[in-house]
Amino acid sequence: MNIVTEWMISHALLLLLSAGTVFNVIWLTTFRNRLQMKMGAVLIVSILHTVFGVMAVRLFAFAEGGFDSSKAGNMSLFGGVFLMPIAYWLGAKLTKRSMKEVYDLLTICMVFTLMCARINCIISGCCKGMLIPGQQMRWPTREAEIIFYIILLFLLGKRVKRDEMCGQTYPIYMMSYGIFRFIIEGFRFHEDTSLIHPAHIWALLSFGVGFSIYAELQKKNKKGMSKKK
């Protein structure tokens, strides 16, 4: 292994987060007219999105560990799920931008960033699956989550690009991730051998919150359409 490869592996998270930031810049530049953003604002928002995302996943992991750093994990992706919407809401309010556009477009940025974070799990060797019974191989939980994100990016990204989501992108993400994570969590390795883990609870909460927001948006969108008629 040469020096360059060693450096890339030891700085994998930094490189992956940088890739996420670059993606944010490209994605938001493509739709900056919808967000009414100048190029400087795109760069600032892209960087802040990554910085706040890192803070969110680390803070949530710290909270999961009972605010004890010795018990806390390095990152908890549920921090992004539950805390990023606060940043989106605050940003939209302060800049007086369309709430639905902010949530729809920035959700895609978040999904890509979380995918990068899960790739880092493979490189760092954390969040691995349990051993498959009778085999020396483990369940590919991290790989499955990366594939989940890729599919989500394709399906949601296509509809967001066509401006078909009307603010529903984030709750759909919350519902789908809640279902996926609840299932996949049963195949992940834990020191605690109990059947139910905190992530199962967070997954159910993610689905429940996402469903309630989605249902409310559906009602509002139907009312808006009926008024137009």
Side-chain angles (χ1 to χ4, degrees):
M1 187 181 295
N2 58 43
I3 296 175
V4 175
T5 304
E6 288 181 356
W7 184 89
M8 290 179 68
I9 292 174
S10 62
H11 295 80
L13 181 59
L14 176 62
L15 292 173
L16 287 164
L17 290 175
S18 298
T21 305
V22 171
F23 173 86
N24 295 346
V25 172
I26 295 171
W27 176 258
L28 294 179
T29 298
T30 304
F31 303 103
R32 66 192 182 100
N33 289 335
R34 280 167 57 177
L35 287 169
Q36 298 178 334
M37 295 175 71
K38 294 182 179 179
M39 198 60 214
V42 167
L43 292 172
I44 292 171
V45 169
S46 297
I47 294 170
L48 287 177
H49 189 278
T50 300
V51 171
F52 188 85
V54 172
M55 291 172 57
V57 297
R58 291 194 183 280
L59 178 61
F60 205 82
F62 185 52
E64 281 186 325
F67 299 98
D68 183 347
S69 58
S70 64
K71 297 179 181 177
N74 192 31
M75 292 188 296
S76 174
L77 298 194
F78 280 111
V81 176
F82 295 120
L83 299 181
M84 289 305 287
I86 299 173
Y88 296 165
W89 180 86
L90 188 61
K93 280 289 183 182
L94 291 175
T95 60
K96 297 180 180 179
R97 286 185 166 84
S98 166
M99 197 70 72
K100 75 176 186 68
E101 291 286 15
V102 168
Y103 274 93
D104 283 342
L105 290 166
L106 290 183
T107 298
I108 302 302
C109 294
M110 193 194 73
V111 172
F112 188 90
T113 303
L114 292 180
M115 181 183 72
C116 290
R118 193 55 83 197
I119 292 172
N120 182 66
C121 291
I122 296 176
I123 297 171
S124 63
C126 66
C127 306
K128 56 192 175 184
M130 294 189 301
L131 285 170
I132 300 173
Q135 303 290 326
Q136 293 301 310
M137 295 175 61
R138 295 182 179 274
W139 293 107
T141 53
R142 298 167 298 191
E143 293 81 0
E145 190 162 337
I146 291 167
I147 292 171
F148 167 80
Y149 286 132
I150 291 171
I151 294 171
L152 209 60
L153 283 169
F154 176 75
L155 295 177
L156 292 180
K158 187 167 62 173
R159 295 194 63 190
V160 169
K161 187 176 181 180
R162 294 199 296 251
D163 198 12
E164 297 175 349
M165 296 303 289
C166 299
Q168 299 174 79
T169 308
Y170 204 90
I172 288 176
Y173 161 69
M174 290 188 80
M175 287 190 292
S176 58
Y177 186 67
I179 294 170
F180 172 83
R181 186 62 185 271
F182 186 86
I183 296 171
I184 206 72
E185 194 63 25
F187 296 91
R188 288 180 62 178
F189 172 78
H190 293 275
E191 296 291 345
D192 179 6
T193 56
S194 59
L195 293 176
I196 300 297
H197 302 106
H200 284 109
I201 308 302
W202 299 132
L204 289 175
L205 184 61
S206 176
F207 175 80
V209 172
F211 181 80
S212 63
I213 296 172
Y214 178 78
E216 188 62 29
L217 287 174
Q218 285 284 79
K219 289 180 183 178
K220 287 183 179 179
N221 291 335
K222 286 180 180 178
K223 285 182 180 178
M225 290 179 66
S226 61
K227 285 181 180 179
K228 288 180 181 180
K229 291 179 180 179

